[in-house]
Amino acid sequence: MSDADLSAADPRLEVRRASKTFAGRTVLREADLKVMPGQMHGIVGQNGSGKSTLAKVIIGYHSPDPGIEIAVDGEDLAMPVRLRDLRAAGVGIVHQDLGLIESGTVIENVRIAALKGSGPWRRVRWSREAEEARVALDRLGFRRDLRTVVKDLAPADRARVAIARAIQEHEPGHGVLIFDESTRALPADALEDFYETVHQLLADGTAVVSIGHRLGEILEHCDLVTVLRDGRVVAEGIPTEGVSEGDLAARMLGHDLVHLSFVEGRRQVGASRIAIEGLVGGGVERPFDVEVGHGEVLGLTGLPGSGFESVPYLLAGAEPARGTLAIDGHRRDLARSSLRQLVGAGVVLVPENRPLEGLALNHTVVENVSLPWMDRRGKPWATGRRWQLDEVRELIDRLGIVPPDPSELVGKLSGGNQQKVLLGKWLLGDTRLLLLHEPTQAVDVQARQDILRAIHDIAERGASVVIASTEPEDLVTICDRVLHFREGAVSEEIAAPFDAAQIIGATYSTEAKSRPSATFRNDKQGAIQ
Amino acid sequence: MSTPDTHQAPAPEAIEEAEPPVYHAGRLDVRDLISRTSLIGIWLLVAAGFAVFESGLFLQEGTFKTIFGSQYELVFLTVALVCTFTVGEFDLSVAASMGLAGSLVPLLNVQEGVPIVFAVILALAAASAVGAINGFLVVKVGVDAIVATLGMGTLVLGITLWITNLNTINGLSHGFAEIAIRDVFGLPIAFFYGLAACLILAYILAFTPLGRRMAFVGSSREVARLAGVNVDRLRFGAYVAGGFVAGVAGVLLAATLGGYNPNTSQTYLLPAFAAVFLGTAVIQPGRFNPLGNWIAVYFLQTGIVGLQLAGLTGWVENVFYGGALVLAVSATTLIRKRTGK
């Protein structure tokens, strides 16, 4: 395509000073990105580093903070970004897990946002839509009938459908294609096919931005890579030539780790108290067995969707599970245990989603904290104010909740203090098994320290703790042992002493080639959330 | 952001206040007080306005009795609605349940000769059963609450009209009427029943574990479930309780009137909703609260009686109830926005 030469001097996509603040918290700070025609540019970073936010700012899903500039082929887009302008400029995105409607046909999935009505009744003329879809699909080497329902397609063809939707308005050789972890749902044998298609587009002159989670895949296929950490670009567009996964992991992690002093005195891990056998459910696909001792903190980690994050919910009875959970020798069948029974047995769940699952924001601190203890501490005719206040004041002291006011509405506290309330709510009783999911998500350094210290205290008093987390520093600080999950099962045990690089290495290293394609399953999408 | 001092764990900030803040009681916040009582102020203003402009008619003992001696069935209906609203549900069938109970009492007692005590028990059981069916459909089957209770309400109303042949059945004894209209301090005793019902529900919601759980189920079902609260049982129970309380309203209405005209049931639904939403603007702004309902019911009644005395009849009730509902809901929404909820 010779017309690509005209603009060869200009970057296909240039983003300057992209920032995004959510409710006072800046998750992306002055990020720059430059992608030339025919280049594939990888963006990597840990969870919460801002890489997905950057993609969503570029495609206009999030409205960015003022000061940003986005130029396509040398032409600045008008701010704020409007979806229409982006599409006209040729920016298309392929979403996480491809974003296809399973029950729709190929034509419907490709054309959904571009359908045109015609005639007085604004009818859709499917023959014309099919022609349009065919043009884009042909470029990608799609050979199936366009009326095939998407769920009957092979994974590689599903990817083609998703890509066709993103590039259908590009002239060949133009446009920017953004992959937001698009290969997550693809099995190993479809990956090769997928990248072959992508490289064809690149050869035409299309630019590709790939937000990735498998470092090996990024290093293999991208020309340049940008690393984000804590919302900042820490390495902008470095060539991937000669870079190793270890180098990249070190850059993602950075060196300013927070070291918590209280860990010096290691806890005594006592005899096994919790025995989990044959746990299956949610994202856990193969039976999971583990024993956790008195005072032990067990970490579970892996990529999002690998199953580790389901474990706390399964053990707490919050999601349907199979398997047994033995506490102090008392075995229960999880399939037949209700959440209430497990709470009664001292099993406590601190879920990830504070506003949805953890706390009622329009109730006060004291109301939230005392809710689970009404049965045991209150009387049927009166909740009893004295014990609630006494216990809550002690918690406020112990966890350093600010402001120290039991009657403050939880919704008015900062994220870190809300998390402390959420944790504190479960500290009033005799906790035997504490289950946490991302306990330090979106909290500041001080709050994180307080929270980890509280977890440490609980373990020190003899409780067994299971933490599902993607924060390597947290796991290093607090855990005695970490189990790494991949594809719904434990893939590696990391025993103390270990460091964050080991956890990052286990999580982000490429073992894609060894992934059995049988594990490709779309029906589990959404089951984890 | 990360500065070297994050490498050492600073001691948790010393909380330098000897005296923890006082919880609720004893803290006087004037703005808070005004926002909690503004509706009472408006009520007094409305009454004062009528007193000035229609002093001859409005400032009569009879007017006072007209306002407070009626509407207790509406108070009970608002209590029934708050039962379900508190747990985050919705019940459009309360008026029909009230009509069913109100019709069954004279039907069973006058036409079928069932002793009055059993007639009352059966009527209450029937209204509770309507609530139980609502609860089953919404909680167990998972039907949308608006659809399920609207359908049940229409169905129950139809059945009521059918079993009564569209007629008003009269002839309940004066002795039975005494349970509702016996004079206590110049007002029918049912007025005090209504007040008591509001106070009991307010107590349950504010001071008992049951009430605390209901409030959490209403504001965040998942939080309550993960805290070990039996969410579905509370939701189901709220529907049954709502049906039962609506049944009480029907029995009292039948006793007062000596019979019941089933065609009037639906006219109670909008006023009850208006009062419940208006009630969220007072006492505990932004929350459904029974004392707020009670004030709202009699605020609305004061306005309507005053306007009727001024010669505006027939259409004024609809205008007043509908207008108050829209205004109250808007006001509540604004309050919630301002308090940052």
Side-chain angles (χ1 to χ4, degrees):
Chain A
M1 290 290 141
S2 58
D3 55 353
D5 302 341
L6 283 174
S7 54
D10 284 319
R12 187 117 279 166
L13 172 72
E14 187 167 15
V15 179
R16 289 179 294 267
R17 293 188 301 281
S19 302
K20 177 68 195 171
T21 307
F22 289 108
R25 219 171 71 86
T26 303
V27 294
L28 185 66
R29 214 179 278 270
E30 308 217 323
D32 294 339
L33 181 70
K34 196 197 295 187
V35 193
M36 302 303 287
Q39 252 184 6
M40 182 150 168
H41 195 120
I43 298 180
V44 297
Q46 291 186 60
N47 278 347
S49 62
K51 59 182 196 289
S52 267
T53 308
L54 178 58
K56 285 176 175 149
V57 163
I58 297 172
I59 62 155
Y61 179 87
H62 289 324
S63 61
D65 298 348
I68 185 178
E69 290 172 356
I70 299 179
V72 179
D73 291 334
E75 299 225 358
D76 279 341
L77 297 184
M79 289 293 138
V81 183
R82 286 182 307 176
L83 276 175
R84 197 154 26 112
D85 296 348
L86 279 167
R87 268 174 52 183
V91 179
I93 187 163
V94 177
H95 291 282
Q96 275 181 15
D97 304 322
L98 305 181
L100 299 175
I101 301 162
E102 296 288 310
S103 58
T105 64
V106 172
I107 305 177
E108 286 168 337
N109 267 288
V110 172
R111 298 293 295 167
I112 180 70
L115 288 175
K116 287 188 200 72
S118 62
W121 304 104
R122 311 300 304 155
R123 271 171 49 112
V124 173
R125 273 173 49 202
W126 288 107
S127 58
R128 199 178 59 192
E129 301 294 339
E131 281 169 34
E132 300 268 357
R134 177 49 82 187
V135 172
L137 286 162
D138 274 349
R139 286 177 64 198
L140 305 172
F142 183 85
R143 314 244 171 278
R144 297 285 302 268
D145 182 11
L146 296 194
R147 275 159 308 192
T148 315
V149 175
V150 160
K151 66 169 175 279
D152 297 333
L153 290 177
D157 280 336
R158 302 161 65 93
R160 288 194 177 93
V161 172
I163 297 172
R165 180 167 61 194
I167 63 158
Q168 58 182 321
E169 284 165 9
H170 298 177
E171 284 172 51
H174 283 273
V176 182
L177 188 54
I178 297 168
F179 292 119
D180 185 4
E181 309 208 359
S182 310
T183 59
R184 200 158 94 180
L186 291 181
D189 49 3
L191 275 181
E192 209 168 307
D193 220 349
F194 174 86
Y195 278 109
E196 207 169 289
T197 310
V198 173
H199 282 292
Q200 227 155 33
L201 290 172
L202 290 168
D204 286 348
T206 301
V208 173
V209 176
S210 179
I211 319 277
H213 56 282
R214 287 193 211 112
L215 301 186
E217 206 177 298
I218 294 284
L219 289 174
E220 187 181 337
H221 295 285
C222 293
D223 305 298
L224 301 172
V225 63
T226 288
V227 183
L228 284 159
R229 190 200 317 146
D230 297 332
R232 289 171 187 278
V233 172
V234 293
E236 190 194 337
I238 50 171
T240 51
E241 197 75 28
V243 175
S244 75
E245 284 182 32
D247 297 345
L248 219 47
R251 285 179 189 264
M252 282 162 58
L253 188 58
H255 299 286
D256 41 3
L257 286 188
V258 183
H259 294 286
L260 302 182
S261 53
F262 64 83
V263 203
E264 283 162 16
R266 239 20 263 181
R267 289 176 304 277
Q268 286 289 313
V269 173
S272 165
R273 146 180 249 195
I274 306 290
I276 297 155
E277 272 177 47
L279 183 71
V280 177
V284 180
E285 292 168 9
R286 268 170 284 162
F288 172 51
D289 301 331
V290 75
E291 295 194 352
V292 191
H294 269 280
E296 180 174 4
V297 180
L298 172 70
L300 306 175
T301 191
L303 284 172
S306 61
F308 77 96
E309 66 272 74
S310 295
V311 173
Y313 300 91
L314 298 173
L315 290 177
E319 280 180 20
R322 278 182 286 134
T324 61
L325 168 65
I327 302 171
D328 293 328
H330 181 65
R331 275 164 67 99
R332 335 173 153 255
D333 183 353
L334 284 169
R336 265 175 283 166
S337 305
S338 73
L339 195 137
R340 277 172 65 78
Q341 288 165 341
L342 289 163
V343 167
V347 179
V348 155
L349 171 67
V350 179
E352 173 193 30
N353 197 334
R354 280 196 301 269
L356 208 66
E357 299 177 334
L359 295 168
L361 300 184
N362 56 343
H363 287 265
T364 63
V365 173
V366 68
E367 284 170 340
N368 269 287
V369 167
S370 53
L371 177 69
W373 311 106
M374 287 289 155
D375 276 330
R376 267 162 280 178
R377 309 295 291 274
K379 306 256 175 14
W381 59 90
T383 53
R385 189 164 278 175
R386 175 76 51 77
W387 69 268
Q388 295 183 40
L389 277 180
D390 290 351
E391 299 273 12
V392 169
R393 287 206 179 108
E394 197 210 310
L395 275 180
I396 287 173
D397 264 7
R398 212 164 96 202
L399 299 178
I401 294 170
V402 183
D405 178 3
S407 55
E408 181 68 284
L409 289 181
V410 166
K412 293 191 174 169
L413 300 179
S414 72
N417 283 296
Q418 287 182 4
Q419 187 69 23
K420 290 182 201 172
V421 173
L422 178 53
L423 192 59
K425 154 164 131 173
W426 293 109
L427 301 186
L428 299 194
D430 169 29
T431 301
R432 296 183 194 180
L433 175 57
L434 175 65
L435 306 162
L436 304 113
H437 184 202
E438 301 291 0
T440 61
Q441 194 177 54
V443 306
D444 61 30
V445 171
Q446 178 62 51
R448 199 169 121 203
Q449 202 142 240
D450 292 340
I451 289 162
L452 291 178
R453 192 191 309 270
I455 296 169
H456 170 80
D457 287 349
I458 297 166
E460 193 143 61
R461 284 186 286 152
S464 304
V465 181
V466 174
I467 299 183
S469 170
T470 51
E471 301 281 346
E473 297 96 325
D474 286 3
L475 296 171
V476 169
T477 304
I478 194 94
C479 292
D480 301 295
R481 192 156 56 112
V482 173
L483 298 178
H484 180 262
F485 274 66
R486 190 184 293 279
E487 302 300 321
V490 176
S491 65
E492 197 176 332
E493 172 163 347
I494 308 168
F498 49 83
D499 59 27
Q502 260 173 288
I503 293 171
I504 295 235
T507 305
Y508 290 93
S509 69
T510 305
E511 284 167 53
K513 302 272 162 8
S514 68
R515 298 165 73 200
S517 57
T519 55
F520 174 72
R521 289 185 24 200
N522 252 285
D523 53 332
K524 79 171 196 211
Q525 274 177 20
I528 291 145
Q529 296 296 321
Chain B
M1 270 315 261
S2 46
T3 45
D5 65 349
T6 55
H7 284 265
Q8 311 142 354
E13 280 167 54
I15 298 160
E16 47 193 283
E17 42 123 34
E19 206 62 25
V22 187
Y23 176 47
H24 282 322
R27 192 164 40 165
L28 191 68
D29 180 337
V30 176
R31 266 180 58 193
D32 186 52
L33 192 71
I34 290 172
S35 95
R36 282 168 188 275
T37 55
S38 55
L39 185 66
I40 300 174
I42 296 170
W43 186 14
L44 294 176
L45 278 179
V46 168
F50 286 130
V52 170
F53 292 111
E54 309 165 6
S55 50
L57 290 166
F58 193 78
L59 287 179
Q60 303 271 337
E61 196 191 343
T63 306
F64 180 79
K65 285 191 174 174
T66 309
I67 292 170
F68 289 97
S70 60
Q71 304 297 322
Y72 40 77
E73 69 281 355
L74 206 53
V75 170
F76 274 94
L77 278 190
T78 62
V79 169
L81 284 176
V82 169
C83 289
T84 43
F85 272 132
T86 303
V87 295
E89 298 294 338
F90 210 85
D91 189 352
L92 290 168
S93 68
V94 285
S97 301
M98 179 184 82
L100 178 66
S103 301
L104 276 177
V105 173
L107 183 76
L108 292 171
N109 180 245
V110 178
Q111 279 194 3
E112 309 294 331
V114 176
I116 188 69
V117 176
F118 293 114
V120 168
I121 291 172
L122 283 172
L124 293 177
S128 307
V130 173
I133 296 171
N134 280 329
F136 174 78
L137 291 175
V138 175
V139 179
K140 300 280 186 265
V141 183
V143 183
D144 182 77
I146 293 182
V147 178
T149 60
L150 185 63
M152 276 302 291
T154 311
L155 177 69
V156 168
L157 177 68
I159 291 173
T160 309
L161 292 171
W162 169 45
I163 59 176
T164 56
N165 275 325
L166 308 172
N167 290 326
T168 305
I169 303 167
N170 287 314
L172 287 168
S173 71
H174 289 294
F176 178 59
E178 280 290 295
I179 68 159
I181 61 172
R182 172 197 289 271
D183 187 287
V184 178
F185 306 125
L187 288 170
I189 191 166
F191 167 81
F192 298 98
Y193 296 160
L195 185 58
C198 286
L199 288 171
I200 291 170
L201 184 57
Y203 175 82
I204 291 173
L205 293 180
F207 295 108
T208 68
L210 173 67
R212 184 74 61 83
R213 290 197 198 102
M214 286 172 72
F216 271 78
V217 170
S219 58
S220 190
R221 199 180 289 174
E222 198 56 20
V223 171
R225 189 178 80 92
L226 292 179
V229 174
N230 195 334
V231 170
D232 284 354
R233 200 172 66 187
L234 282 179
R235 292 166 67 207
F236 183 83
Y239 275 109
V240 176
F244 175 82
V245 175
V248 173
V251 170
L252 289 175
L253 203 52
T256 307
L257 303 171
Y260 189 84
N261 176 359
N263 294 296
T264 60
S265 298
Q266 288 310 84
T267 61
Y268 287 93
L269 191 60
L270 180 70
F273 269 85
V276 167
F277 283 111
L278 193 53
T280 60
V282 69
I283 308 290
Q284 291 174 289
R287 288 197 190 184
F288 294 107
N289 69 94
L291 295 179
N293 296 341
W294 188 91
I295 290 167
V297 166
Y298 289 104
F299 164 73
L300 291 169
Q301 183 63 5
T302 304
I304 287 166
V305 168
L307 291 171
Q308 283 172 340
L309 289 176
L312 311 170
T313 49
W315 51 271
V316 70
E317 295 188 15
N318 281 340
V319 169
F320 205 68
Y321 280 134
L325 177 57
V326 172
L327 283 178
V329 176
S330 308
T332 312
T333 310
L334 290 176
I335 290 171
R336 285 196 178 170
K337 264 190 196 157
R338 212 185 48 193
T339 52
K341 218 223 83 184

